[in-house]
Each structure stands twice: as C-alpha cells, then as structure tokens.
C-alpha cells in the first residue's frame, strides 16, 4: 500500500511540475504580445481614436432613459415589492414618481424610473429613498440610491425588519395611485 501512495505522490508531483512549466511558457508568450503601450491611442475604423484604458463595449452605447410618458389619466410609477420579515408577508405596490407611500414604518419616496432602450435587454432602475419612522424615535434614512430590477440583491433595502426592491417601471391610473403622505 505504501509503494502505491509513493507512486501516486510522484505522479502528482510530476503533473504539478508539468503544469507549472506550461504556465511559465504561456506567461512568456503573453508578455511578448505586440499590443501598443497603454499610453498610445488606438485608431478604430472611421477615424475615431480611443484610449486603451477606457474602451467602450462593441456596438453603439445605449444608456438607460426615463420610462415612457404615461398616457392621459395615468402617471409614471415604479412597482415595488416589500417583505415584512416579522409577519413574513410580501406586498407589491406602485409608487408614483415624486410621491411617498408607507410600508409598515417605512416612508418610501421614488424620484425617477429609468428603462433600457427597446432593443437592449430589459432593465428598470429607480432612485428610491427609504426613511424609517419608528414610533418614539427620530426618523432614520435607511436607503437612498438606485435600485435595479434585474439585480435586486445588488442594491435593495435589506434591514432587520423589511426588504424592499424594484420590480419594474409602470404606469398607474390617477385614481389607483396611492395617496401621498407628504
């Protein structure tokens, strides 16, 4: 049994040496690439030049844009989802742009909702401010920033009692929009 273990150890050692040698060869070949230095600008077809340190992704860049204007009788809004960890209940609710709604002890204000252009992958991002108004305590801002629907874990409100995240940009009728608590 011991000779087998020694044989295995020699094979593993030989394999490790071979892998290390291959990596050294590859790193030498990588270092000998003939790319221009980072300080020289590159010329692209069409005569535009870009710095290699700051290269744009291939194809035209299309940033997020404000969600489309709401039709008559409706308002632009953000669909949010909230989880109350104490009662384990979730609730999906719209918040009109510029309005404030309450979810438990939270006051949630939405300032803007942005969407991707139609030909890009679907994305919704909203600027949200969440203030906790616990009774008998001063108000505390828990979150103020952009929330992204495609990556709720990236920038969602995650407190000990509540979770809140963006679902999508939406339009709501004037009558169904929740009243402002401003």
């Amino acid at each position: 049994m011991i000779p087998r273990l020694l044989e295995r150890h020699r094979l593993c050692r030989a394999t490790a040496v071979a892998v290390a040698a291959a990596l050294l060869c590859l790193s030498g070949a990588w270092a000998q690439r003939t790319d221009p230095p980072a300080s020289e600008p590159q010329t692209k077809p069409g005569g535009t030049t870009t710095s290699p340190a700051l290269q744009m992704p291939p194809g035209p860049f299309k940033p997020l844009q404000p969600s489309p204007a709401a039709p008559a009788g409706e308002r632009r809004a953000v669909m949010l989802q909230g989880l109350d960890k104490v009662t384990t209940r979730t609730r999906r609710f719209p918040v009109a742009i510029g309005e404030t709604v309450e979810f438990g002890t939270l006051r949630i204000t939405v300032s803007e909702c942005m969407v991707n252009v139609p030909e890009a992958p679907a994305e919704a991002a909203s600027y949200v401010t969440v203030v906790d108004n616990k009774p008998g305590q001063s108000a505390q801002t828990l979150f103020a920033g952009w929330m992204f629907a495609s990556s709720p874990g990236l920038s969602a409100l995650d407190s000990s009692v509540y979770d809140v995240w963006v679902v999508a940009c939406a339009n709501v009728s004037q009558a169904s929009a929740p009243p402002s608590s401003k």
Side-chain angles (χ1 to χ4, degrees), residues 114-170:
M114 308 285 280
V115 294
N116 248 347
V117 292
E119 55 273 2
E123 174 65 285
S126 180
Y127 193 86
V128 179
T129 304
V130 180
V131 177
D132 195 358
N133 290 317
K134 291 179 183 169
Q137 297 180 8
S138 62
Q140 177 185 10
T141 301
L142 298 178
F143 183 89
W146 289 95
M147 289 186 180
F148 300 91
S150 65
S151 304
L154 177 65
S155 62
L157 169 71
D158 185 17
S159 76
S160 59
V161 179
Y162 300 104
D163 284 350
V164 176
W165 60 94
V166 171
V167 175
C169 295

XYZ file of all heavy atoms in Angstrom, residues 114-170:
414
model
N -35.977 54.640 -14.652
C -35.296 54.575 -15.943
C -35.428 53.160 -16.509
O -35.434 52.187 -15.755
C -33.810 54.907 -15.783
C -33.525 56.205 -15.044
S -33.849 57.648 -16.022
C -32.386 57.703 -17.003
N -35.504 53.071 -17.839
C -35.587 51.778 -18.517
C -34.560 51.729 -19.640
O -34.081 52.762 -20.104
C -36.999 51.516 -19.094
C -38.022 51.383 -17.988
C -37.403 52.597 -20.063
N -34.245 50.526 -20.084
C -33.360 50.349 -21.220
C -34.107 50.666 -22.507
O -35.339 50.600 -22.555
C -32.869 48.900 -21.290
C -31.405 48.769 -20.994
O -30.674 49.750 -20.958
N -30.976 47.550 -20.776
N -33.361 50.978 -23.544
C -33.974 51.178 -24.853
C -34.569 49.845 -25.287
O -34.119 48.779 -24.848
C -32.939 51.702 -25.876
C -32.508 53.109 -25.514
C -31.741 50.783 -25.978
N -35.591 49.857 -26.162
C -36.296 48.614 -26.512
C -35.399 47.513 -27.077
O -35.647 46.336 -26.848
C -37.322 49.066 -27.551
C -37.531 50.509 -27.269
C -36.221 51.026 -26.755
N -34.352 47.873 -27.840
C -33.522 46.832 -28.451
C -32.488 46.244 -27.500
O -31.798 45.294 -27.833
C -32.840 47.345 -29.719
C -32.020 48.587 -29.556
C -32.804 49.888 -29.715
O -34.024 49.885 -29.920
O -32.171 50.930 -29.627
N -32.363 46.766 -26.292
C -31.415 46.251 -25.294
C -32.151 45.320 -24.329
O -33.382 45.327 -24.265
C -30.779 47.412 -24.544
N -31.410 44.521 -23.565
C -32.072 43.658 -22.580
C -32.902 44.483 -21.597
O -32.536 45.601 -21.254
C -30.911 42.978 -21.855
C -29.751 43.100 -22.771
C -29.974 44.347 -23.591
N -33.996 43.915 -21.161
C -34.907 44.624 -20.258
C -34.211 44.982 -18.949
O -33.482 44.179 -18.379
C -36.132 43.769 -19.973
N -34.409 46.201 -18.503
C -33.841 46.681 -17.243
C -34.680 47.846 -16.753
O -35.169 48.643 -17.546
C -32.400 47.130 -17.432
C -31.766 47.785 -16.221
C -31.606 46.863 -15.029
O -32.623 46.579 -14.369
O -30.487 46.428 -14.773
N -34.877 47.915 -15.479
C -35.540 49.050 -14.847
C -34.700 49.449 -13.645
O -34.237 48.598 -12.892
C -36.955 48.680 -14.408
N -34.470 50.738 -13.517
C -33.719 51.270 -12.385
C -34.491 52.454 -11.834
O -35.029 53.257 -12.595
C -32.324 51.699 -12.819
N -34.539 52.558 -10.526
C -35.303 53.625 -9.910
C -34.507 54.232 -8.763
O -33.831 53.507 -8.021
C -36.626 53.076 -9.382
O -37.374 54.100 -8.796
N -34.605 55.560 -8.628
C -33.963 56.229 -7.498
C -34.972 56.254 -6.363
O -36.047 56.841 -6.475
C -33.502 57.643 -7.850
C -32.589 58.190 -6.793
C -31.224 57.927 -6.832
C -33.080 58.925 -5.730
C -30.378 58.401 -5.844
C -32.241 59.398 -4.732
C -30.898 59.134 -4.798
O -30.057 59.590 -3.808
N -34.616 55.603 -5.263
C -35.540 55.400 -4.148
C -34.898 55.906 -2.854
O -33.708 55.700 -2.621
C -35.880 53.901 -4.000
C -36.822 53.656 -2.845
C -36.458 53.344 -5.289
N -35.707 56.570 -2.045
C -35.278 56.980 -0.709
C -36.214 56.328 0.297
O -37.436 56.436 0.177
C -35.328 58.506 -0.551
O -34.540 59.101 -1.579
C -34.816 58.950 0.799
N -35.625 55.620 1.275
C -36.421 54.923 2.284
C -36.036 55.463 3.654
O -34.865 55.457 4.034
C -36.178 53.402 2.235
C -37.018 52.698 3.283
C -36.449 52.850 0.852
N -37.045 55.961 4.376
C -36.839 56.511 5.717
C -37.671 55.686 6.687
O -38.845 55.427 6.445
C -37.268 58.005 5.768
C -37.124 58.553 7.168
C -36.459 58.820 4.773
N -37.048 55.269 7.791
C -37.752 54.503 8.819
C -38.253 55.460 9.882
O -37.485 56.205 10.476
C -36.817 53.464 9.431
C -37.554 52.409 10.236
O -38.798 52.489 10.356
O -36.883 51.490 10.744
N -39.563 55.441 10.143
C -40.206 56.306 11.139
C -40.760 55.453 12.270
O -41.970 55.317 12.435
C -41.350 57.102 10.497
C -40.857 58.146 9.552
O -39.899 58.854 9.840
N -41.493 58.246 8.399
N -39.885 54.881 13.063
C -40.342 54.071 14.192
C -40.956 54.993 15.237
O -40.432 56.067 15.508
C -39.177 53.303 14.798
C -38.649 52.214 13.899
C -37.490 51.491 14.534
C -36.948 50.463 13.568
N -35.674 49.907 14.009
N -42.075 54.596 15.843
C -42.713 55.430 16.859
C -41.774 55.689 18.034
O -41.090 54.799 18.514
C -43.920 54.599 17.306
C -44.127 53.583 16.243
C -42.804 53.363 15.593
N -41.719 56.939 18.455
C -40.902 57.320 19.595
C -39.428 57.492 19.277
O -38.634 57.712 20.175
N -39.045 57.376 18.016
C -37.648 57.554 17.622
C -37.574 58.570 16.492
O -38.558 58.826 15.799
C -37.029 56.233 17.146
C -36.955 55.166 18.207
C -36.326 53.895 17.661
O -35.826 53.843 16.552
N -36.369 52.845 18.472
N -36.398 59.144 16.316
C -36.233 60.079 15.204
C -36.149 59.295 13.893
O -35.727 58.135 13.868
C -34.970 60.925 15.397
O -33.832 60.095 15.421
N -36.555 59.948 12.821
C -36.540 59.313 11.501
C -35.104 58.995 11.100
O -34.182 59.776 11.341
C -37.178 60.226 10.471
N -34.916 57.824 10.474
C -33.588 57.382 10.061
C -33.647 56.969 8.597
O -34.460 56.129 8.210
C -33.141 56.203 10.924
C -31.813 55.637 10.521
C -31.452 54.394 11.323
O -32.269 53.847 12.066
N -30.238 53.930 11.158
N -32.772 57.574 7.763
C -32.709 57.200 6.354
C -31.979 55.873 6.248
O -30.805 55.760 6.611
C -31.985 58.270 5.525
O -32.687 59.505 5.670
C -31.930 57.889 4.065
N -32.681 54.848 5.737
C -32.097 53.520 5.605
C -31.470 53.297 4.239
O -30.531 52.520 4.111
C -33.168 52.442 5.838
C -33.823 52.414 7.204
C -34.876 51.322 7.251
C -32.787 52.207 8.288
N -32.016 53.971 3.219
C -31.519 53.771 1.853
C -31.824 55.005 1.042
O -32.914 55.548 1.099
C -32.196 52.548 1.219
C -31.689 52.218 -0.154
C -30.608 51.372 -0.324
C -32.280 52.761 -1.282
C -30.135 51.070 -1.587
C -31.810 52.467 -2.547
C -30.732 51.619 -2.700
N -30.862 55.421 0.232
C -31.063 56.490 -0.740
C -30.134 56.181 -1.901
O -28.920 56.292 -1.770
C -30.764 57.858 -0.143
N -30.706 55.753 -3.015
C -29.875 55.416 -4.172
C -30.676 54.705 -5.235
O -31.902 54.611 -5.181
N -29.937 54.191 -6.225
C -30.553 53.495 -7.359
C -30.742 52.030 -7.026
O -29.849 51.371 -6.519
C -29.679 53.643 -8.596
C -29.690 55.025 -9.141
C -28.797 56.015 -8.880
C -30.650 55.585 -10.025
N -29.144 57.154 -9.545
C -30.279 56.920 -10.268
C -31.789 55.094 -10.648
C -31.017 57.759 -11.094
C -32.510 55.927 -11.471
C -32.130 57.248 -11.685
N -31.944 51.540 -7.330
C -32.250 50.110 -7.221
C -32.474 49.582 -8.631
O -33.099 50.254 -9.455
C -33.515 49.877 -6.390
C -33.363 50.153 -4.938
S -34.893 49.672 -4.081
C -34.478 50.094 -2.414
N -31.980 48.374 -8.903
C -32.076 47.774 -10.230
C -32.954 46.533 -10.177
O -32.726 45.641 -9.363
C -30.686 47.407 -10.742
C -29.783 48.595 -10.855
C -28.975 48.972 -9.795
C -29.756 49.342 -12.009
C -28.146 50.084 -9.890
C -28.933 50.454 -12.114
C -28.126 50.819 -11.057
N -33.933 46.464 -11.087
C -34.859 45.331 -11.097
C -34.161 44.033 -11.461
O -34.484 42.980 -10.915
C -36.007 45.598 -12.070
N -33.186 44.077 -12.370
C -32.532 42.844 -12.806
C -31.560 42.303 -11.765
O -31.174 41.143 -11.829
C -31.788 43.079 -14.123
O -30.736 44.006 -13.920
N -31.151 43.120 -10.811
C -30.217 42.687 -9.770
C -30.704 43.165 -8.412
O -30.129 44.069 -7.811
C -28.825 43.254 -10.046
O -28.382 42.892 -11.313
N -31.768 42.561 -7.881
C -32.314 43.060 -6.623
C -31.346 42.942 -5.459
O -31.382 43.746 -4.541
C -33.560 42.207 -6.396
C -33.454 41.065 -7.319
C -32.525 41.450 -8.420
N -30.470 41.974 -5.482
C -29.518 41.827 -4.389
C -28.399 42.846 -4.424
O -27.709 43.063 -3.441
N -28.218 43.486 -5.573
C -27.139 44.457 -5.718
C -27.389 45.708 -4.902
O -26.500 46.212 -4.236
C -26.967 44.816 -7.202
C -25.926 45.862 -7.540
C -24.540 45.338 -7.196
C -26.009 46.226 -9.003
N -28.603 46.223 -4.958
C -28.890 47.465 -4.242
C -30.344 47.520 -3.808
O -31.110 48.356 -4.256
C -28.558 48.679 -5.131
O -29.378 48.641 -6.284
N -30.716 46.640 -2.941
C -32.068 46.658 -2.384
C -31.978 47.048 -0.913
O -30.914 46.951 -0.306
C -32.712 45.285 -2.508
N -33.087 47.504 -0.367
C -33.123 47.783 1.063
C -33.177 46.445 1.782
O -34.029 45.607 1.489
C -34.357 48.602 1.430
C -34.601 48.702 2.934
C -33.561 49.594 3.571
C -35.975 49.157 3.243
N -32.256 46.240 2.677
C -32.210 44.999 3.446
C -31.991 45.376 4.903
O -30.869 45.540 5.344
C -31.084 44.106 2.936
C -31.053 42.756 3.620
O -32.063 42.384 4.246
O -30.019 42.069 3.529
N -33.093 45.558 5.611
C -32.986 45.901 7.036
C -33.350 44.681 7.868
O -33.685 43.629 7.325
C -33.909 47.075 7.366
O -35.248 46.647 7.443
N -33.310 44.828 9.166
C -33.629 43.700 10.033
C -35.117 43.357 10.011
O -35.496 42.238 10.328
C -33.188 44.001 11.462
O -33.839 45.167 11.927
N -35.955 44.305 9.586
C -37.397 44.069 9.591
C -37.983 44.020 8.179
O -38.898 43.249 7.916
C -38.119 45.159 10.416
C -39.621 44.936 10.417
C -37.592 45.176 11.838
N -37.447 44.819 7.237
C -38.038 44.942 5.913
C -37.007 44.713 4.799
O -35.835 45.026 4.953
C -38.617 46.347 5.712
C -39.686 46.717 6.694
C -39.414 47.577 7.748
C -40.978 46.225 6.565
C -40.391 47.930 8.657
C -41.955 46.571 7.465
C -41.666 47.418 8.508
O -42.628 47.765 9.403
N -37.493 44.192 3.687
C -36.768 44.175 2.426
C -37.654 44.898 1.422
O -38.872 44.676 1.392
C -36.527 42.757 1.903
C -35.425 42.021 2.640
O -34.712 42.656 3.432
O -35.286 40.818 2.413
N -37.068 45.756 0.603
C -37.808 46.449 -0.454
C -36.937 46.428 -1.700
O -35.736 46.673 -1.622
C -38.135 47.913 -0.067
C -38.808 48.648 -1.218
C -39.014 47.953 1.164
N -37.548 46.129 -2.864
C -36.799 46.128 -4.112
C -37.701 46.531 -5.267
O -38.922 46.471 -5.181
C -36.151 44.773 -4.366
C -37.088 43.611 -4.478
C -37.616 43.091 -5.615
C -37.617 42.820 -3.409
N -38.433 42.023 -5.317
C -38.437 41.840 -3.977
C -37.448 42.852 -2.024
C -39.116 40.893 -3.205
C -38.124 41.916 -1.261
C -38.939 40.948 -1.863
N -37.086 46.959 -6.367
C -37.795 47.407 -7.567
C -38.175 46.197 -8.404
O -37.354 45.295 -8.605
C -36.912 48.368 -8.395
C -37.533 48.662 -9.741
C -36.670 49.649 -7.626
N -39.396 46.204 -8.916
C -39.851 45.147 -9.814
C -39.822 45.650 -11.256
O -39.269 44.987 -12.128
C -41.272 44.674 -9.431
C -41.790 43.653 -10.430
C -41.268 44.118 -8.024
N -40.401 46.844 -11.506
C -40.459 47.377 -12.869
C -40.949 48.811 -12.850
O -41.506 49.276 -11.857
C -41.400 46.533 -13.726
N -40.737 49.493 -13.955
C -41.370 50.793 -14.156
C -42.767 50.509 -14.693
O -42.966 49.546 -15.430
C -40.584 51.632 -15.161
S -38.930 52.075 -14.589
N -43.706 51.325 -14.331
C -45.091 51.068 -14.724
C -45.844 52.379 -14.850
O -45.314 53.450 -14.538
C -45.764 50.176 -13.687
